[in-house]
Amino acid sequence: TKVILLALDQGLWDCERSLAELSALCEANHMEAVAQVTQKRQTPETGIVLGSGKLEEASLAAETLGAECAVFDGELTGSQIRNISNALGGLEVIDRTMLILEIFRSRAVTNEGKLQTELALLRYRLPRLQGMGEALSRQGGGGGGGGGARRGAGETKLELDRRHVHARIDALADKLAEMEKRRGESRKARAKTGMPVVSLVGYTNVGKSSLMNALCGPSVAEADMLFATLDPTSRKLVLPSGMAVLLVDTVGFVSRLPHNLVEAFKSTLEEAAWSDVIVRVADAGDEQ
């Protein structure tokens, strides 16, 4: 899918680097970034974030290059998504958070990973239900024969959707709490063996899985893309001294990682927090 990247540069971070990262995220989601439209301004334009002139420029670029979607480098509200889409002639619009969540959704393999991603997606969508489509504001049935008028118009589709999402969020949170308890028990059992735990942490696609495979023999999937690893993997490693340690490969980070994702993946990220040693893996070829 060809996409166009949109960004508002308020000087809060390195916009060029952030767009390069967004382009790599698109690639990880089987999208090709064919153009970038950025605007430097102190405050976002009300409702549409970028100025109308910039959005016209983006619309023309999308039409010329055959882009099917616009990806905004930041987080948008439901109404901003709708307004920008309208300004771009109905082009699909997603933000950086949605893109990361989509990558996680398509990559999650384990049951826990799938539940964590669904929870993060629902928490993200809940406040945006209103702006994400006019179909959501249809009225539900209030009954015919005059009775409907007395009983009111019934629940709106939006209220029904909200209730359904709230119920699903509660159910997922309960399931994950149960899994977290089990994870804590297996952590205690591991501690009893006295084997030190060493966690590899760092930016996504920095080479943590490659390092683990180099040390322990190939078994962890490695790929030159962002978020190739979504579930922590543990392997026994015997050091040159003869001492055995448990090596853990963790989920990588990305700058401005969505809060919903951090919250949903709490138990997975805690693997690093409970380690005896944390090894931060960095790319020597990266200027930062």
Side-chain angles (χ1 to χ4, degrees), residues 84-106:
I84 294 170
S85 176
N86 290 341
L88 297 176
L91 196 72
E92 187 193 352
V93 175
I94 62 169
D95 63 14
R96 181 190 180 90
T97 302
M98 192 71 213
L99 178 62
I100 294 172
L101 289 172
E102 197 49 47
I103 293 168
F104 271 62
R105 192 187 62 76
S106 62

Side-chain angles (χ1 to χ4, degrees), residues 138-143 147-160:
R138 285 198 309 268
Q139 294 289 325
R150 283 195 305 275
R151 285 202 306 271
E155 278 189 301
T156 62
K157 171 91 165 64
L158 177 62
E159 283 160 356
L160 280 169

Side-chain angles (χ1 to χ4, degrees), residues 260-278:
N260 286 338
L261 213 51
V262 176
E263 183 54 37
F265 275 74
K266 190 172 63 136
S267 61
T268 310
L269 297 169
E270 263 181 6
E271 283 297 305
W274 290 100
S275 306
D276 298 286
V277 178
I278 292 177

Side-chain angles (χ1 to χ4, degrees), residues 59-88:
S59 183
L60 188 66
E63 209 175 305
T64 310
L65 298 163
E68 296 168 45
C69 177
V71 185
F72 184 79
D73 189 26
E75 206 163 280
L76 299 170
T77 65
S79 56
Q80 285 170 339
I81 289 170
R82 190 181 61 226
N83 295 341
I84 294 170
S85 176
N86 290 341
L88 297 176

